[in-house]
Every structure is written in structure tokens, then in C-alpha cells.
Amino acid sequence: MTSHPDPRALGAFLRARRAQLTPQDCGLPTPDTTRRVTGLRREEVAVLAAISVDYYTRLEQGRVRASAPVLATLTHALHLDEDQQQHLYQLAGRINDQPRHQRPPTPRIRPAMRRLLDQLTDTPALVLGRRLDILAWNPTATALYTDFAAVPAQHRNYLRLMFTHPAIRGLHKNWAQDARDAVAALRMEAGADPDDPDLTRLVGELSVQDTDFRTWWAEHRVTSATYGTKRYHHPLVGDLTLDCDTWASPDHSGQRLMILTAEPDSPTHDALRILASWTAQQTAPAPTKDTTR
């Protein structure tokens, strides 16, 4: 290490930084009552960083030394820029533990998976990342779920949308079971990379925003199921019963192709064809006008 810890200065920096943030800045619910503190409460920072309130309190009071993983989660929880992050690690005496690249590059879709996705014209399909981030989708998936392109990239996560997007939440006829299964799938991923700061931030935000998520996450239920049945009620085509299958990419990138299919000649199969046709009409290019006359 090239710096010495300064617990008092670290605590002062943490207090000052959380005072500069509002719940809205961090995606937390807007409080209904008048707040007695400026900025975020200690409890809110602890939840966002996925650490105990007691540990965070002792950290602010200079009674415990922060580990590198905790500093990484605090960087995201407190929305620190690069200079603030460097200052945080320096005060904690862990400047050599600072990540060289705070933001990893956006995962690239394998060309073969991209081609397969483009060829699935009548079937909703998504490419998911390790944290259930939605990396790519086809037009029929847009027609079924929502316009993913209109969702900010940092919020384009399958689990987050299940809990926070009204249209997607309302689409699921068995929302509680589907959401609980998705939480278990994310918990399985967390076991493979428990120090992932982006995953920690996602868990922290959803824990604050939704009681069900907080309860189900605490159950430590896990699943690696790659298939199942989804039952939806779509506002345009009504009830749908879809087989959901996922295939992992062979390159160990953690990317998975999720495809939703229906029994041939079933009402759901016909409904998907209607959705696909409707999507094609919505995205068809306008006729080219002849401006030479």
C-alpha cells in the first residue's frame, strides 16, 4: 500500500458525501414524511452497499477498517466519480486496491448468437448477461414486454424491470412465483461472484424499493433452472402460455439466450403470430417519396 488509513477523515468524507445525495438520486422511494437529516440516512447507504447498518456506522465513526470489496460497493452506492473514488481508497489506506477500470466494457454479443436472435422473427427472444442484464432482444420481445430501447441502459435488467416496471410486472399472471424464481436465479449468480459491485448495487436498490424482494433475497433460495412455463396476460392479445428455455453461450461469458415458444396451432401460437405481424407493421420503413418530379 502507498497510503496510510485515516479513519476520521474517511468517516467525515462518507458523511459529507451521503449528505449530498437524495433518495431520488439513488433510485430510492420518495419519502412521505419530512426527513430529519440532509441527504441519505446511514440505513439507506448500508442497504445500497449491502452491508449491515452497524458495520457502516462503525466505519463512519472510524472504529473499523474498510475492506476493498466494501469500498467498491460504497463507490457505487454513493455515486462517486473517479476523483472521489481515488480519494476514498486513499483515506482507507487501500490505494493499491482501487480498480483500474471502474466501469467494465459493455459485453459484446457473440456474432452467432446475434444471428440466431435476428432469425427468430415469430418468437420472443432475449440475450441475458450474468446479472440478468438485458443485452439484446428481437422485435417480438419488444412487442411482448416493452420497448427496451426506451429503458435507460443502466436500468435494462430483467429482474429490475420485473419489480419496477408496471407494464412488465402486470404482464405476469403468476408474478410472485416468476419474480421469486428470478430472485433465486440472481442469488445463484451472486454465489459465483459475491464481490461484483454492480450486482451488490442492484440488490441494495431493490431491497430498499420492494419488500417482497428483500424477503425473497433473505431466503437464500437458489435455482439454475433453464426451462419452465410462463403465463402472461398481454393487453393486445390476451392470455399466453409460453415455454421458456434458456441456452448458455459456449464461450463461458455468462450470456444466455432466452426463447419463449408456444405449442403449434394453439391460441398462444396464433397470438404470437399476431404480435409479430403487428410489430412488423409498426417497424416497417415508410415508402420512399419521389422528390425528383
Side-chain angles (χ1 to χ4, degrees):
M1 292 181 291
T2 58
S3 61
H4 298 285
D6 189 343
R8 291 185 180 181
L10 176 63
F13 175 71
L14 292 174
R15 289 191 296 271
R17 181 55 189 163
R18 69 179 171 88
Q20 297 167 1
L21 297 172
T22 66
Q24 295 91 326
D25 292 333
C26 302
L28 301 178
T30 303
D32 296 329
T33 58
T34 303
R35 296 170 67 87
R36 296 181 180 179
V37 298
T38 302
L40 297 178
R41 298 188 179 98
R42 284 176 175 170
E43 295 80 3
E44 291 168 332
V45 176
V47 169
L48 290 172
I51 58 179
S52 71
V53 177
D54 177 67
Y55 181 90
Y56 180 74
T57 299
R58 288 187 288 131
L59 193 60
E60 278 199 357
Q61 294 173 346
R63 296 191 290 123
V64 65
R65 188 181 180 195
S67 64
V70 167
L71 293 176
T73 62
L74 286 173
T75 293
H76 290 282
L78 296 173
H79 293 206
L80 302 185
D81 60 27
E82 292 185 9
D83 290 340
Q84 291 169 330
Q85 175 184 277
Q86 181 177 354
H87 185 59
L88 174 73
Y89 278 78
Q90 190 168 28
L91 293 177
R94 294 191 178 277
I95 195 65
N96 287 345
D97 295 326
Q98 181 182 357
R100 296 296 179 229
H101 301 285
Q102 182 177 352
R103 295 182 180 178
T106 302
R108 297 183 60 183
I109 308 299
R110 291 184 63 243
M113 188 174 286
R114 177 78 260 180
R115 288 194 299 270
L116 180 58
L117 188 66
D118 292 339
Q119 291 170 14
L120 295 170
T121 57
D122 295 337
T123 301
L126 303 168
V127 177
L128 303 176
R130 291 187 183 276
R131 295 179 297 271
L132 304 184
D133 294 322
I134 299 172
L135 306 179
W137 56 91
N138 65 0
T140 313
T142 296
L144 176 63
Y145 289 107
T146 191
D147 182 5
F148 294 113
V151 178
Q154 67 271 26
H155 294 160
R156 208 175 290 150
N157 176 276
Y158 186 79
L159 185 64
R160 182 195 295 275
L161 294 177
M162 283 193 72
F163 280 90
T164 64
H165 194 291
I168 293 179
R169 183 165 180 151
L171 179 69
H172 292 258
K173 295 185 69 174
N174 301 321
W175 177 84
Q177 183 60 51
D178 291 344
R180 189 165 177 257
D181 287 345
V183 171
L186 186 69
R187 171 63 82 173
M188 190 81 175
E189 293 295 336
D193 190 4
D195 296 329
D196 181 351
D198 290 329
L199 187 147
T200 301
R201 177 175 56 181
L202 173 65
V203 171
E205 291 177 2
L206 291 179
S207 295
V208 171
Q209 295 178 30
D210 195 281
T211 302
D212 287 329
F213 177 88
R214 186 164 62 249
T215 300
W216 295 332
W217 186 257
E219 291 176 347
H220 287 261
R221 178 172 171 263
V222 296
T223 181
S224 59
T226 57
Y227 63 92
T229 302
K230 303 285 188 185
R231 292 180 173 84
Y232 296 143
H233 181 80
H234 193 276
L236 290 179
V237 296
D239 290 342
L240 302 169
T241 300
L242 296 163
D243 292 322
C244 179
D245 294 88
T246 60
W247 285 271
S249 174
D251 64 352
H252 304 291
S253 65
Q255 295 180 13
R256 286 165 289 179
L257 179 66
M258 185 178 92
I259 303 177
L260 297 153
T261 59
E263 286 285 344
D265 300 322
S266 65
T268 296
H269 184 263
D270 294 338
L272 282 184
R273 294 183 65 180
I274 293 173
L275 270 182
S277 176
W278 176 79
T279 302
Q281 293 175 11
Q282 296 296 314
T283 59
T288 303
K289 295 182 179 179
D290 187 349
T291 59
T292 61
R293 296 181 181 178

